[in-house]
Amino acid sequence: MAKEVAGRARPGRAPVPPGRRSRPRQAEVAQLAGVSQATVSLVLSGRDEATARPISAETRRKVLQAAQSLGYVPDPAARRLAAARNNLLGVFSFTATFPTDVRHSYYPFLVGVEQEAAAQGYDLVLFTGSSAGGADAAGAGALNRVRLADGCLFLGRHAPAQELARLVRDGFPVVHLGRREDTDKVAWVGADYVSASRDVVTALAEAGHRRVVLVREDDDAPASADRERGFLDGLRAAGLPAGPRTVFRSADPASEVTAARIRAWRKDGVTAFVAEETDTGDAWRALRTAVAEAGLSCPGDVSLAVLGSPPPDLASEPVPMGFDIPRARLGAEAVRLLSALIAGEPTESTLVACTFRVGVSAGPPGAD
């Protein structure tokens, strides 16, 4: 929202050019009221009360009084242009290239987005982070090009909070595909990773496991935090140890999750290992490799589960215990939420349930 600017012009009678035949302009209203032209635009358009910082009643009175004094009448052509819609939805991915490979974890999201956009009568404009710094696209104005569309969906674990908040404050419709826990009022559609992760741990506990370890990447994204929370909730509900030693965070799982570490955990009584799903799939890939290099069988010696699905390059292997994320449905829900925001309808963010998957990688605890 444009800030009110004190002292930009002195209140008083705005000079009227001699012999002028054109209608008064907003700049003249701003000069007479002693405020910025952006403030005048917000007040005269009726959008001042819908912003994050509503304009004061006194400033609003000055603007309306100045407009009446000058005989200001909004330009109908400009008003139609400002209210016009392009029937375009933006989809912004914080990746160097747009993820169109069918094996990419984003691809099912995009299928749902495309199908629902077509049903809603929208065309899509695809953006990537390549010209805005990729996942680090947090500079001022980096996302301005999405304003070509009527609203925009954002995909990515690390979308820049400040830039998204600025778009929202400016009244631009924004939906983030993935739960957000910041306070910038960005609407979102996310998967219920907490309940789904808890279900996986419950299944392991019911199979007889009493020591379970979660291997996850060292990442503070809400998706990772939700999975850890569900994992720990499941342990506590089953009466199992849920202290710090049950979660192993690694910045480099490939080098830190080793056969020696697996053997040490196994000697300490751990019989089941759980990895989080991420875009990279590093935690799951490192865990299954380390178990194999330790000479342990699965599920004979140890049980394995993944909080989500394995990475696409391992999809041909036996299906592990975990849960399926309804990615296409999430994409469609995001479009419906964005469409409602564009139409000015009441909205609220949404959590979508995941489906538990039994798989073949878990069973009763193996012999010590």
Side-chain angles (χ1 to χ4, degrees):
M1 187 193 90
K3 296 181 181 179
E4 299 179 53
V5 180
R8 285 190 64 169
R10 294 182 181 178
R13 192 73 181 172
V16 178
R20 170 178 138 174
R21 297 180 181 179
S22 61
R23 70 178 73 221
R25 298 168 299 170
Q26 283 191 2
E28 295 171 56
V29 176
Q31 183 180 6
L32 182 59
V35 299
S36 69
Q37 186 173 340
T39 297
V40 170
S41 177
L42 287 173
V43 172
L44 297 182
S45 66
R47 292 187 290 120
D48 58 308
E49 295 180 354
T51 57
R53 289 170 159 182
I55 293 171
S56 68
E58 176 62 18
T59 298
R60 192 171 188 277
R61 182 190 65 77
K62 289 180 180 179
V63 170
L64 294 176
Q65 189 176 54
Q68 183 179 21
S69 167
L70 290 171
Y72 174 83
V73 178
D75 184 343
R79 173 169 285 184
R80 283 196 301 272
L81 181 61
R85 294 179 185 169
N86 298 319
N87 286 335
L88 296 175
L89 295 185
V91 181
F92 194 108
S93 169
F94 290 92
T95 54
T97 58
F98 209 80
T100 55
D101 189 325
V102 296
R103 296 173 300 173
H104 197 287
S105 60
Y106 283 176
Y107 185 80
F109 288 127
L110 299 175
V111 171
V113 167
E114 182 181 15
Q115 291 175 344
E116 185 61 26
Q120 297 268 358
Y122 286 101
D123 290 319
L124 296 177
V125 182
L126 309 181
F127 302 92
T128 69
S130 58
S131 60
D136 298 323
L143 304 185
N144 271 342
R145 64 192 187 284
V146 303
R147 297 175 189 268
L148 293 170
D150 299 329
C152 191
L153 301 176
F154 290 87
L155 291 83
R157 289 164 62 89
H158 301 288
Q162 291 185 351
E163 286 298 291
L164 295 189
R166 181 176 58 80
L167 289 173
V168 172
R169 288 195 301 271
D170 290 348
F172 184 75
V174 169
V175 171
H176 184 253
L177 198 46
R179 189 183 72 78
R180 298 183 65 86
E181 55 188 11
D182 42 39
T183 58
D184 54 19
K185 300 186 183 303
V186 175
W188 53 263
V189 173
D192 187 358
Y193 295 134
V194 175
S195 298
S197 299
R198 185 169 54 238
D199 290 344
V200 171
V201 176
T202 298
L204 291 171
E206 290 176 348
H209 295 279
R210 291 295 172 262
R211 290 290 307 279
V212 186
V213 165
L214 168 65
V215 176
R216 55 161 292 187
E217 295 181 32
D218 192 11
D219 190 335
D220 291 326
S224 295
D226 283 354
R227 285 178 167 94
E228 180 175 328
R229 175 185 161 194
F231 172 80
L232 295 175
D233 285 352
L235 292 179
R236 296 188 188 100
L240 304 182
R245 294 177 61 194
T246 61
V247 178
F248 181 74
R249 294 172 65 121
S250 172
D252 184 13
S255 64
E256 295 181 343
V257 182
T258 62
R261 190 178 293 276
I262 293 292
R263 293 192 193 99
W265 273 323
R266 187 74 179 86
K267 186 177 180 179
D268 200 31
V270 177
T271 58
F273 298 93
V274 178
E276 71 163 335
E277 175 195 345
T278 63
D279 298 342
T280 65
D282 287 348
W284 173 252
R285 190 178 289 105
L287 181 59
R288 56 178 288 283
T289 299
V291 167
E293 291 178 350
L296 300 174
S297 64
C298 172
D301 296 321
V302 295
S303 289
L304 300 180
V306 57
L307 301 182
S309 299
D313 60 300
L314 302 180
S316 60
E317 297 185 356
V319 178
M321 175 182 282
F323 55 81
D324 296 319
I325 303 167
R327 288 179 165 86
R329 180 184 169 192
L330 285 164
E333 290 284 354
V335 171
R336 284 191 281 270
L337 179 58
L338 183 58
S339 178
L341 282 173
I342 292 171
E345 300 171 359
T347 61
E348 61 180 44
S349 298
T350 305
L351 271 182
V352 178
C354 301
T355 305
F356 174 73
R357 184 182 63 246
V358 177
V360 297
S361 62
D368 289 336

